Amino acid sequence: MSLSSLPVGREQIELDRLFELAENVVVRARAAGASQAEVGASMDTGLSVNVRLGDVETVEHTCDRSFDLTVYFGQRKGSASTADLNPESIQATLEQACAIARFTEEDAAAGLADAQRMATMFPDLDLWHPWEIEPAAVIELGQQVEGAGRAHAGITRSDGANVQLGKSLAVYANSHGFIGSECVTQHALSLSLIAGEGQAMQRSYWYDCARAVEDLMSAQALGDKAAERTLARVGACSLSTRECPVLFVPELARGLIGHLVQAVSGGALYRRASFLLDHAGKAVMPAWMCINERPHLTRGKGSANFDAEGVATKDSALIEDGVLARYVLGSYSARKLGLSSTGNAGGIHNLVVEPGMAGGGSCDFQTMLHHLGTGLLVTEVMGQGVNLITGDYSRGASGFWVENGSIAYPVEGVTIAANLRDMFAGIAAVGTDIDRRSSILTGSLLLESMTVAGH
């Protein structure tokens, strides 16, 4: 059993209530005839403020509760949920889940995760940092962010600044006797700006997010960054169609790694809907590349002591010397594949792409531009042109044309295309400029070649 000592006052009372409710409903489900049961209960609270042209557009307070129950009658499964934690609603949810389970087909892979895999150790991952601030001060901060961006010459208007504060309390319990909590905070600042007029108008943005407010960029720094990015887009043009090396900035590089994760996740694999089917133990990236899951990083976006089924998380390699070391599995997909859970029910937990390049060494962003030489720096992608069954990748893109390692001019209206299999195998370098705003931690990615289609 895990009880978080971090929340205090009202939050601790709410957490205790969730614990009591989860344990009680698991017992009641067993009494109603379920052979196994699991409960997830949560409460999310937050404040979001939008400011545009110095005026307040919206101030939104949120307080959302959820209760999800799954019961198993042998290998027949039933699930029901509610946002109302009153006793009558909980009882109705229990009855509905049991009724569904009694009439569904048996599924040989259904059931809780194995009891011996449940987490037993719960170190403090430093994820709880409430931001105690009055709404008026949040509004003022939003105005400061926007004001910093609008102060730059050439910025013609603003699409607005946003400030968000969030707290989440969650409890998971099951009939193995496991119960654990996850208490996290998440705060964010963002700003979107416009430069130029008419057909020459360009828009860009920047944002930052963190568990603790002291880890966020300052209002001035974020406004400056958003303005710098927006002004750099002025005068963007297209390119003629060509083959060239492509450099993805870190916030887009993590999307490419996300496609890898999707392709090696259990659901895609047992449905045979992945271009990396049957690739465990095979080389899929250059031999110098390593990607490791690190679930216990302090203040990490994906840090957790257990997954969505209570299975203990642990450090583990996903890509080892270019070889796919394992798949990404919860207990259901693992059983469908005749394998064991990797502790990834609900997703990955801090996937770290190690910086490097062929021949050794590491590169900051400027050095990555030097290695790109002449090619395309991609800072934005559009569209949904990714086929995980075939690996085909084709998306609209914008960014900058780079010549001899220096940015020459902004680019828009092009399409970048290749196959993910070739893209992964053709990674030439991973930068040290790691973006820590996600559960996928990677620097910029340099690909040897893609097709860039323009006018």
Side-chain angles (χ1 to χ4, degrees):
M1 176 178 172
S2 163
L3 279 171
S4 173
S5 61
L6 295 175
V8 296
R10 182 173 58 83
E11 279 90 8
Q12 184 61 57
I13 293 172
E14 291 286 354
L15 184 62
D16 290 344
R17 181 189 178 197
L18 295 178
F19 264 97
E20 182 180 355
L21 180 61
E23 288 183 305
N24 176 265
V25 173
V26 167
V27 171
R28 287 160 57 187
R30 293 296 305 276
S35 54
Q36 293 183 329
E38 57 185 341
V39 166
S42 66
M43 183 184 77
D44 299 321
T45 58
L47 173 64
S48 176
V49 170
N50 287 295
V51 173
R52 186 170 182 272
L53 301 179
D55 296 325
V56 179
E57 282 199 319
T58 61
V59 177
E60 182 180 4
H61 292 268
T62 57
C63 183
D64 299 322
R65 292 178 172 83
S66 68
F67 180 88
D68 302 290
L69 169 65
T70 297
V71 298
Y72 300 91
F73 282 65
Q75 290 180 308
R76 300 194 307 274
K77 173 184 174 180
S79 298
S81 62
T82 181
D84 184 353
L85 302 188
N86 289 324
E88 297 81 6
S89 296
I90 297 297
Q91 179 61 32
T93 302
L94 172 59
E95 292 172 357
Q96 185 178 29
C98 291
I100 293 170
R102 290 188 177 98
F103 293 100
T104 56
E105 292 286 336
E106 289 192 356
D107 185 339
L112 299 179
D114 297 340
Q116 65 271 22
R117 301 290 305 279
M118 297 294 103
T120 57
M121 300 181 65
F122 307 92
D124 181 9
L125 302 178
D126 197 26
L127 306 179
W128 182 256
H129 295 273
W131 188 359
E132 305 300 340
I133 182 172
E134 293 297 320
V138 179
I139 292 170
E140 182 180 356
L141 178 59
Q143 292 169 331
Q144 290 172 356
V145 169
E146 188 186 44
R150 292 178 65 198
H152 287 253
I155 297 297
T156 53
R157 68 192 71 178
S158 167
D159 265 353
N162 176 261
V163 183
Q164 293 185 21
L165 300 68
K167 297 183 285 188
S168 177
L169 306 172
V171 169
Y172 171 80
N174 64 36
S175 52
H176 290 325
F178 175 87
I179 185 166
S181 67
E182 182 179 65
C183 306
V184 301
T185 53
Q186 178 82 338
H187 315 302
L189 305 175
S190 66
L191 174 62
S192 178
L193 297 171
I194 297 170
E197 298 287 351
Q199 296 297 317
M201 187 170 63
Q202 293 289 337
R203 177 185 285 104
S204 194
Y205 72 98
W206 195 245
Y207 78 97
D208 196 20
C209 59
R211 297 292 186 196
V213 63
E214 60 264 28
D215 294 333
L216 288 172
M217 298 174 70
S218 68
Q220 185 67 50
L222 194 135
D224 290 344
K225 179 76 170 181
E228 174 189 331
R229 285 168 53 87
T230 306
L231 293 169
R233 300 291 314 143
V234 174
C237 60
S238 188
L239 295 170
S240 59
T241 298
R242 65 193 71 189
E243 299 280 334
C244 66
V246 173
L247 178 61
F248 287 82
V249 293
E251 59 269 27
L252 298 187
R254 71 181 184 225
L256 294 182
I257 302 302
H259 297 321
L260 170 72
V261 173
Q262 290 177 293
V264 300
S265 292
L269 295 170
Y270 75 72
R271 295 184 181 94
R272 306 190 68 80
S274 169
F275 72 99
L276 292 179
L277 188 68
D278 300 325
H279 271 62
K282 297 179 181 179
V284 297
M285 288 181 164
W288 52 266
M289 277 200 70
C290 294
I291 302 179
N292 298 294
E293 189 171 19
R294 298 285 184 254
H296 303 146
L297 298 179
T298 57
R299 299 193 184 185
K301 295 297 180 292
S303 295
N305 289 311
F306 55 89
D307 73 358
E309 299 176 314
V311 173
T313 56
K314 62 180 181 181
D315 287 359
S316 177
L318 181 64
I319 300 291
E320 195 166 20
D321 299 329
V323 173
L324 179 61
R326 62 173 174 88
Y327 297 131
V328 176
L329 308 173
S331 61
Y332 182 83
S333 59
R335 290 173 189 141
K336 296 285 282 188
L337 295 167
L339 300 171
S340 298
S341 170
T342 59
N344 291 117
I348 56 169
H349 306 284
N350 299 324
L351 206 58
V352 180
V353 184
E354 303 295 341
M357 58 188 300
S362 59
C363 307
D364 60 15
F365 182 68
Q366 288 302 317
T367 308
M368 293 288 282
L369 284 176
H370 172 76
H371 284 292
L372 171 65
T374 297
L376 182 63
L377 168 64
V378 178
T379 59
E380 184 177 356
V381 292
M382 295 146 277
Q384 304 297 320
V386 182
N387 188 325
L388 290 179
I389 299 176
T390 64
D392 290 336
Y393 181 100
S394 178
R395 303 187 72 181
S398 61
F400 299 88
W401 185 248
V402 177
E403 293 181 354
N404 299 317
S406 297
I407 292 175
Y409 53 85
V411 171
E412 64 181 1
V414 299
T415 299
I416 53 174
N419 187 278
L420 286 169
R421 192 191 309 273
D422 298 328
M423 292 167 68
F424 292 148
I427 295 174
V430 178
T432 58
D433 50 336
I434 295 173
D435 182 358
R436 301 189 179 277
R437 298 171 298 173
S438 166
S439 59
I440 296 177
L441 293 92
T442 180
S444 48
L445 280 180
L446 175 59
L447 305 189
E448 292 175 351
S449 181
M450 293 186 73
T451 297
V452 178
H455 57 72

